[in-house]
Amino acid sequence: MTGPRAGSEAAGLHVLVVDDSDDLRDLISMVIARHPGGWQVVGTATEGRQAVDVAREQQPDLVLLDIAMPVMDGMEALPLIREAAPEATVVMLSGFPFETAGPGALQAGAHGYLEKSDLVRSLIPRLEEILQAG
Amino acid sequence: MTGEDDPLDAAALDDLRQQVTELRRALAEIGGGGVDALVVGDPADPAIYTLTPAERPYRFIVERMGEGALTVSENGVVLYTNPRMSDFLATPADAMVGRDIVDFVPVDQLPQLTRLLGDTGESTRRAELELPGTDGVGVPYLVTATDIVGDDLRLRCLVFTDLTMQKLIEQQVAQEAARAERQQVAIEVNDTIVQGLVAAEMALDLDHHDLARRVIARTSEHARQWIGALTGAESLQPGTAVRSHPARAGEATP
C-alpha cells in the first residue's frame, strides 16, 4: 500500500488519538475500541510533539489530531506526522466550524476534518467516509 | 613744473572714471552675493578670501527640510520660521515672525511647550505636542528644543517632526495585538468549554453517566472562570484562566 489505508482495508485499523483534553481523548478511544471492525487505539498523545514521536514509533493507520493544543499545535504537527508515518490517514479535530479552519487544514495535507460537535454521534461514520474517499 | 591745482589731463581722468566704475560694479556684485571669493595680490602667489558664508548650506537645509523649524527668543517671540513650519501651521512666515509662540499652541498643550522652553539645564529637550492641522484635526508632533547661546543672546531652536504616520503604524500594531489576543481567548474558550460539553455528551452516549457528570461540573466551573475573567476589571491573559499552558493553533486558524 502506498497511500492512506482505504475503507475496504479498514478492519483492524490502528489508531493514534491526539488531544490535550483527557476526557475527550479517553472517550474517543472508547468509541474507537467499540468499532465492530476491531479498530485499536495503539497510542495517545496530549500535544503535537509527543504525537510525532508516537506516530513514528507505532506507524498507525489513522491519526485523529486535535488542532488547538499546548506546546505544539495540530497544524504544526501535521506535516511532521505525515513525514513520520507516511501511510497514515490524518484527520484533524477542531471545535471550529469547517469554514474557519477546515480548508487550511486540508491544504496543509490533512485527509479530513471533523468538527468536535460532530464527534458525539457521527465519529465512526465520518471516519469511515474519509477512509473510503482516501 | 606743475602746481597742486594743475588739472589732470583728459586721458588720466578717463582712466580714473573707468576704475571707479569697475570698483562700484565689483562692490555691487559682492553686496548682491554674486561673488564667492576675492583673489588679491600677486597672480603668482594670490591670497584668496572666501566671501560665501559658512552657514549658507545649513540655511539651505533648514529651508528645504521636511521638518518644521522655529527660532524663538528667550521670551518666546518667533524670530524665524522655515517654510515647512508655515505649512504645518497654515500661516505665512511673515505673519508668524514677531508673535509669541504661545499664539500658535492650543491651551491644553501649553504645559508641554513650557517644559520645552524652560531652563532645565539640558541642552536638548523633547516633548510631543499636538497642533491643529489645516483641516482642524490635531496633528501630533515630536518637538526637539535646543538652546543656542551666544555672547549676548540666548535663542531656542524648535524642530517639529510630524508623527502622524508613526502614530498610525503604532495604532495598527496595537489593533493587531488586540486581535491576536481575542483570537487566543476564542481558542481557549472553545477548547475548554465547547469540547467539555462535547465530551459530556459523548460520555452520556456511552452510558458513562458518572464521567458525564464530572465533565459537566468541570466545564461549568471553567465557564464561570472565563465569564468572570471576561467581565472582570482585570485584563484577561490567555491560558491563565483554566489551563497550565495556553492552547496553540496554527497561524491559519483563528
Side-chain angles (χ1 to χ4, degrees):
Chain A
M1 194 164 71
T2 56
R5 197 160 177 168
S8 57
E9 303 172 72
L13 210 69
H14 289 181
V15 184
L16 166 60
V17 181
V18 186
D19 199 305
D20 64 319
S21 160
D22 294 344
D23 295 327
L24 214 50
R25 205 173 53 249
D26 291 346
L27 287 161
I28 291 170
S29 297
M30 281 183 214
V31 173
I32 295 288
R34 288 184 175 194
H35 190 276
W39 289 11
Q40 293 177 53
V41 175
V42 293
T44 59
T46 58
E47 49 87 14
R49 206 156 47 194
Q50 193 184 12
V52 176
D53 292 341
V54 179
R56 185 175 292 112
E57 189 183 318
Q58 296 293 331
Q59 293 298 312
D61 303 304
L62 174 64
V63 179
L64 302 181
L65 180 61
D66 186 20
I67 288 185
M69 292 184 292
V71 185
M72 179 187 280
D73 65 63
M75 292 299 288
E76 206 177 337
L78 174 59
L80 303 176
I81 289 174
R82 293 288 315 273
E83 194 185 335
E87 303 293 319
T89 297
V90 183
V91 177
M92 307 304 285
L93 303 178
S94 174
F96 293 105
F98 176 82
E99 306 77 55
T100 308
L106 298 181
Q107 199 174 8
H111 297 92
Y113 180 93
L114 283 183
E115 293 177 25
K116 283 183 175 173
S117 54
D118 289 340
L119 295 182
V120 179
R121 285 174 191 83
S122 60
L123 173 62
I124 296 296
R126 288 285 291 117
L127 289 178
E128 285 176 338
E129 202 177 292
I130 291 164
L131 289 163
Q132 197 74 38
Chain B
M1 181 177 171
T2 58
E4 284 183 351
D5 55 352
D6 283 348
L8 290 168
D9 62 45
L13 202 55
D14 283 348
D15 186 46
L16 282 173
R17 283 200 179 102
Q18 181 66 27
Q19 287 183 36
V20 168
T21 304
E22 284 177 5
L23 280 170
R24 277 182 174 163
R25 194 181 303 146
L27 286 171
E29 286 291 323
I30 292 168
V35 177
D36 292 331
L38 289 178
V39 181
V40 180
D42 183 353
D45 184 22
I48 299 171
Y49 297 94
T50 303
L51 297 181
T52 304
E55 68 271 17
R56 183 178 284 181
Y58 301 108
R59 187 178 181 89
F60 184 82
I61 291 168
V62 172
E63 292 285 334
R64 302 291 180 92
M65 68 186 191
E67 288 80 16
L70 274 178
T71 306
V72 296
S73 69
E74 203 167 3
N75 53 5
V77 174
V78 176
L79 302 175
Y80 165 80
T81 175
N82 73 348
R84 188 68 174 146
M85 195 69 220
S86 292
D87 292 344
F88 284 165
L89 296 174
T91 308
D94 56 7
M96 292 173 66
V97 172
R99 285 176 63 187
D100 195 321
I101 188 173
V102 169
D103 295 346
F104 303 100
V105 177
V107 174
D108 64 329
Q109 301 292 301
L110 289 179
Q112 289 93 301
L113 179 68
T114 305
R115 277 196 294 278
L116 281 165
L117 298 179
D119 191 1
T120 62
E122 299 167 284
S123 59
T124 301
R125 297 166 297 279
R126 289 182 180 82
E128 279 190 31
L129 276 186
E130 191 171 289
L131 302 181
T134 49
D135 55 359
V137 178
V139 177
Y141 294 97
L142 173 66
V143 186
T144 305
T146 306
D147 292 341
I148 302 169
V149 182
D151 292 338
D152 55 354
L153 87 168
R154 183 186 180 91
L155 305 176
R156 290 187 175 93
C157 180
L158 304 180
V159 176
F160 290 68
T161 305
D162 188 342
L163 295 178
T164 304
M165 190 53 71
Q166 186 183 322
K167 295 280 182 192
L168 198 64
I169 292 168
E170 285 173 3
Q171 194 180 13
Q172 285 170 346
V173 168
Q175 282 171 349
E176 183 57 32
R179 194 187 67 81
E181 187 167 329
R182 283 198 305 275
Q183 193 176 79
Q184 186 64 32
V185 169
I187 290 169
E188 297 295 332
V189 170
N190 182 74
D191 258 34
T192 54
I193 297 176
V194 175
Q195 78 181 9
L197 295 173
V198 168
E201 206 175 346
M202 284 181 85
L204 287 172
D205 271 19
L206 292 166
D207 289 329
H208 286 266
H209 293 179
D210 287 346
L211 174 59
R213 280 193 196 92
R214 284 200 302 276
V215 171
I216 289 169
R218 202 160 46 236
T219 305
S220 173
E221 174 61 22
H222 289 167
R224 276 197 296 276
Q225 288 178 21
W226 274 113
I227 290 163
L230 287 165
T231 56
E234 289 181 13
S235 171
L236 179 68
Q237 297 299 315
T240 58
V242 290
R243 299 156 76 102
S244 56
H245 301 285
R248 299 175 69 245
E251 286 180 10
T253 308

